[in-house]
Amino acid sequence: MSWGEWEKLKNDAVERQSSSMRLNGLDGNGAAGTGSGDLVVNRDDLGAIGHEAYLLYGRLSRDGDHARPSTFDASIALTNGNFTSGSELLKVHDRWNSQLRTLLDACARISNHLDYTRSTHAKDDADIGGQLLSTSKIDEYFK
């Protein structure tokens, strides 16, 4: 192998390494690069959805339970009056309460999960940014 061939192989290896080590970065404004494959989560969208779930939870817990006491009282009165519809109305009452609790739980989970996702994503961004910064400092010594 001649000296010229050796130099060409070294240069080719350096070019391959530098292109494989290239990472999408941030522009001067801190926005994510435009390269494909970037993870993008719009925190405003997550916050809006979580907020709506929270508001729905509040409205459901206030208004969804509005008819429960009178439905229960009516079912007891009908049952005491020997009407078979009293026990059936109690079943409706119990089913409504079960479904309402399920819906309230779902709203709470959505709201809490989106809050958790938003905070975790921000923490992950900070961790990754710190790792990339330390890697770029090391990279300066190899240039």
Side-chain angles (χ1 to χ4, degrees):
M1 176 183 303
S2 70
W3 183 257
E5 290 174 330
W6 173 250
E7 287 298 321
K8 182 175 178 347
L9 289 173
K10 283 185 1 183
N11 288 336
D12 289 347
V14 168
E15 286 178 22
R16 278 194 311 272
Q17 181 183 11
S18 65
S19 66
S20 67
M21 293 297 290
R22 194 173 306 143
L23 298 173
N24 290 336
L26 299 177
D27 64 11
N29 298 322
T34 58
S36 64
D38 286 341
L39 173 63
V40 177
V41 175
N42 189 334
R43 291 177 182 91
D44 294 336
D45 290 346
L46 290 178
I49 294 168
H51 182 68
E52 288 301 318
Y54 175 77
L55 293 176
L56 181 58
Y57 178 88
R59 287 192 311 264
L60 279 173
S61 53
R62 181 185 64 244
D63 298 335
D65 199 38
H66 180 71
R68 184 188 53 79
S70 57
T71 303
F72 183 75
D73 292 342
S75 69
I76 296 301
L78 287 169
T79 302
N80 290 340
N82 292 325
F83 289 96
T84 56
S85 60
S87 63
E88 298 304 313
L89 186 57
L90 187 59
K91 289 179 185 177
V92 170
H93 167 270
D94 293 344
R95 175 66 59 94
W96 176 263
N97 284 335
S98 171
Q99 295 297 320
L100 179 62
R101 283 193 304 273
T102 300
L103 190 54
L104 286 170
D105 184 51
C107 288
R109 284 176 183 254
I110 289 168
S111 178
N112 292 339
H113 179 70
L114 291 175
D115 288 342
Y116 172 78
T117 300
R118 194 170 58 175
S119 67
T120 300
H121 182 67
K123 181 184 174 295
D124 289 346
D125 277 350
D127 290 345
I128 291 169
Q131 290 171 1
L132 291 177
L133 182 61
S134 65
T135 302
S136 65
K137 294 289 184 190
I138 292 172
D139 193 39
E140 290 175 10
Y141 293 106
F142 292 112
K143 291 180 183 180

